[in-house]
């Protein structure tokens, strides 16, 4: 197990690099990847890191170096993956709702492509016929995931081609002699119950025999990580056992064993991330004691957008008496990170760290209120290195055209 970064060390990084600051601990990413490969050592499985969770180029390179593949949700993520050194055959591009031009570009770059609409599948058939292998993203009509905003497989979701339209997919396959090599489903994020994945493949088992050239089954991402005490992590070993069992009960009618793919994002990088902020102001009110930090939803939007819980620790006063506080940002809009949270006594100038901030933290940040995006630091082999400079004033004007 990789050690957590200590409060003293995090304070030191806050002082050295300034706040707000994202810190990523490389060894934790490795530990998570090892959990996956160890659990699935008996099955023919590949893991594609869902890079949308965190795309800093150094993180991509590190994950590539571990041996993982990469999943991209835009052509720019594909370009970043190539830049990080992933060869095209280890890059998966799972598109949704995009113009066909982007799919043509992905094809020209030689990456693996999953298509999620009949419309783009038809265009793909017209242009490439059987010449370029392709995957189809299906919507299994399963409700799963931490909350509705991060559920993607249900029957009102925009993602994927609804499974009940499989006849239409098949008629396109026949019409254009499409070379379908994988079937993809992704039901949501923060799925604790491994049976959701099992249910997903069971739906696919009915469909698999309809595609004679299949090689891969892509079950998407969505493994849960614990955000607070008592939270569970998806039981990866149990998942691996159940997937193995399911496949041994359903040998591929085509004879060729199918390889299983997963696309975890949070599981790789959530827990490696620490978001360090500094307390600007403490304000006593009748309702609560506000602690305003030098950040807001412009830097970490998950609590406001998904009601997500992030543990907040006063690393400057870890033994102070416990008191209730509402931790807010400095944005001119309500940006409550936590309401009535029990934290060790907070003083102005203290450093507060948000845990589990690696996934969809920096990645979803913005320059709202013309504030700078935070800097990012990678801690690897005991050494801390700046991997993204904090914005500067010029960055706010960059790309603006002053008339
Ligand atoms: N594959 C596909 C096709 C996806 O859409 C996603 C996430 C993943 C894989 C990775 O899911 P993960 O393993 O990270 O749960 N911003 C939200 C999460 C949105 C996830 C969107 N798609 C959050 O901060 O909770």
């Amino acid at each position: 197990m990789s050690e957590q970064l200590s409060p003293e060390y995090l304070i030191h990084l806050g002082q050295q690099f300034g706040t707000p600051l994202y810190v990523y601990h490389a060894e934790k990413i490795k530990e998570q990847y090892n959990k996956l490969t160890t659990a699935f050592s008996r099955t023919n499985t590949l893991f594609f890191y869902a890079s949308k969770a965190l795309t800093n180029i150094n993180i991509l390179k590190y994950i590539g170096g571990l041996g993982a593949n990469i999943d991209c949700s835009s052509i720019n993520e594909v370009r970043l993956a190539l830049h990080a050194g992933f060869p095209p055959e280890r890059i998966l591009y799972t598109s949704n709702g995009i113009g066909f031009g982007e799919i043509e570009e992905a094809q020209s770059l030689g990456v693996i492509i999953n298509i999620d609409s009949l419309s783009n599948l038809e265009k793909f058939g017209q242009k490439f016929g059987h010449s370029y292998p392709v995957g189809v993203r299906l919507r299994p009509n399963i409700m799963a995931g931490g909350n509705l905003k991060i559920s993607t497989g249900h029957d009102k979701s925009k993602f994927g081609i609804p499974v009940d339209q499989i006849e239409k997919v098949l008629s396109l396959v026949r019409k254009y002699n499409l070379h379908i090599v994988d079937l993809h489903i992704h039901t949501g994020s923060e799925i604790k119950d491994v049976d959701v994945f099992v249910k997903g493949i069971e739906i696919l088992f009915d469909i698999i025999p309809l595609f004679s050239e299949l090689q891969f089954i892509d079950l998407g991402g969505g493994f849960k990580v614990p955000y607070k005490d008592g939270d569970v992590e998806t039981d990866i070993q149990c998942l691996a056992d159940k997937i193995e069992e399911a496949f041994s009960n359903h040998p591929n009618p085509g004879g060729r064993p199918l390889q299983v793919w997963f696309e975890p994002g949070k599981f790789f990088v959530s827990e490696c991330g620490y978001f360090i902020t500094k307390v600007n102001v403490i304000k006593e009110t009748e309702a609560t004691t506000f602690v305003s930090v030098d950040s807001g939803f412009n830097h970490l939007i998950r609590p406001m957008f998904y009601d997500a819980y992030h543990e907040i620790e006063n690393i400057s006063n870890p033994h102070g008496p416990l008191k209730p506080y509402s931790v807010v940002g400095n944005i001119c809009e309500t940006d409550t990170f936590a309401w009535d949270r029990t934290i060790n006594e907070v003083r102005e100038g203290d450093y507060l760290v948000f845990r589990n901030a690696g996934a969809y933290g920096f990645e979803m940040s913005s320059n709202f209120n013309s504030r700078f995006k935070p800097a990012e630091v990678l801690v690897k082999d005991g050494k801390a290195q700046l991997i993204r400079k904090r914005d500067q004033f010029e960055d706010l004007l960059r790309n603006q055209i002053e008339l």
Side-chain angles (χ1 to χ4, degrees):
M1 285 274 279
S2 69
E3 294 287 311
Q4 295 249 347
L5 300 182
S6 71
E8 299 74 29
Y9 186 59
L10 293 170
I11 290 178
H12 166 72
L13 296 179
Q15 286 164 343
Q16 184 181 351
F17 297 101
T19 58
L21 181 73
Y22 275 99
V23 175
Y24 311 118
H25 187 195
E27 280 75 21
K28 181 65 191 173
I29 302 177
K30 189 198 271 181
E31 182 185 315
Q32 292 297 97
Y33 181 58
N34 287 346
K35 271 189 215 169
L36 296 172
T37 50
T38 308
F40 280 88
S41 58
R42 289 196 316 264
T43 33
N44 186 8
T45 306
L46 288 183
F47 297 96
F48 293 75
Y49 163 57
S51 57
K52 72 197 82 184
L54 178 60
T55 54
N56 186 291
I57 200 73
N58 301 282
I59 298 290
L60 302 187
K61 284 183 185 172
Y62 182 76
I63 290 179
L66 295 177
N69 303 321
I70 188 160
D71 172 51
C72 301
S73 59
S74 75
I75 198 72
N76 290 338
E77 284 183 2
V78 170
R79 290 197 195 108
L80 284 172
L82 288 166
H83 185 83
F86 286 88
E89 63 276 12
R90 283 174 55 198
I91 302 176
L92 173 60
Y93 176 33
T94 304
S95 62
N96 100 83
I98 56 158
F100 186 63
E102 221 174 282
I103 294 182
E104 288 178 301
E105 200 176 336
Q107 187 276 343
S108 73
L109 295 171
V111 303
I112 313 163
I113 302 171
N114 280 330
I115 293 187
D116 99 321
S117 67
L118 290 170
S119 156
N120 274 334
L121 195 59
E122 171 123 42
K123 290 175 194 152
F124 195 89
Q126 281 164 356
K127 175 123 194 208
F128 302 111
H130 193 266
S131 69
Y132 197 90
V134 70
V136 176
R137 177 171 184 174
L138 295 170
R139 193 190 74 191
N141 299 341
I142 297 176
M143 179 58 94
N147 64 64
L148 193 56
K149 279 195 185 142
I150 54 174
S151 298
T152 50
H154 57 86
D155 64 2
K156 291 191 179 57
S157 159
K158 68 167 185 171
F159 296 97
I161 302 171
V163 273
D164 39 280
Q165 294 178 16
I166 200 69
E167 271 311 319
K168 293 189 175 155
V169 174
L170 289 170
S171 77
L172 290 177
V173 173
R174 284 190 294 268
K175 188 168 168 194
Y176 298 107
N177 189 21
L178 280 163
H179 185 182
I180 305 291
V181 283
D182 88 90
L183 295 178
H184 171 281
I185 53 173
H186 169 78
T187 50
S189 196
E190 299 187 19
I191 301 169
K192 344 181 215 213
D193 180 4
V194 298
D195 287 332
V196 168
F197 293 94
V198 177
K199 202 165 151 197
I201 21 176
E202 269 161 10
I203 290 171
L204 290 182
F205 281 136
D206 290 337
I207 298 169
I208 288 169
L210 308 174
F211 294 88
S212 59
E213 296 183 292
L214 269 195
Q215 296 176 41
F216 318 109
I217 293 298
D218 181 348
L219 297 175
F223 302 154
K224 169 115 182 68
V225 293
Y227 278 93
K228 56 173 177 281
D229 271 357
D231 258 10
V232 295
E233 180 173 278
T234 306
D235 186 339
I236 300 296
Q237 187 59 60
C238 172
L239 175 66
D241 295 345
K242 289 199 173 186
I243 298 281
E244 188 184 2
E245 189 190 330
F247 273 92
S248 58
N249 292 338
H250 288 85
N252 183 20
R256 197 175 13 184
L258 296 169
Q259 187 172 59
V260 180
W261 292 353
F262 287 102
E263 306 162 354
K266 277 181 191 160
F267 196 83
F268 267 92
V269 295
S270 180
E271 288 161 284
C272 82
Y274 301 76
F275 183 47
I276 309 174
T277 62
K278 204 168 179 180
V279 176
N280 282 338
V281 172
I282 296 183
K283 189 186 281 182
E284 306 277 356
T285 72
E286 276 166 22
T288 187
T289 301
F290 287 107
V291 168
S292 302
V293 295
D294 57 356
S295 182
F297 71 56
N298 50 332
H299 298 153
L300 178 64
I301 202 171
R302 301 193 71 257
M304 300 86 191
F305 205 37
Y306 310 110
D307 288 327
Y309 184 102
H310 285 263
E311 236 175 64
I312 304 174
E313 199 179 320
N314 184 358
I315 49 177
S316 298
N317 192 18
H319 305 296
L322 290 168
K323 295 188 172 174
Y325 297 100
S326 294
V327 181
V328 295
N330 56 6
I331 286 297
C332 66
E333 229 182 278
T334 300
D335 55 355
T336 311
F337 287 113
W339 185 263
D340 260 346
R341 188 72 71 81
T342 305
I343 304 175
N344 297 101
E345 187 173 31
V346 182
R347 295 107 9 133
E348 291 184 359
D350 280 356
Y351 287 101
L352 298 194
V353 67
F354 292 71
R355 293 193 176 271
N356 237 327
Y360 309 103
F362 181 90
E363 206 58 31
M364 293 178 80
S365 66
S366 76
N367 288 111
F368 187 47
N369 277 196
S370 292
R371 294 210 171 268
F372 301 149
K373 285 195 188 184
E376 294 176 289
V377 162
L378 180 64
V379 176
K380 185 157 72 88
D381 304 324
K383 203 165 134 210
Q385 281 176 296
L386 190 64
I387 54 170
R388 182 190 298 267
K389 288 190 287 190
R390 186 178 311 289
D391 280 348
Q392 292 176 332
F393 184 67
E394 299 71 55
D395 295 315
L396 300 179
L397 284 168
R398 193 157 41 98
N399 296 333
Q400 293 200 46
I401 299 170
E402 254 181 296
L403 301 177

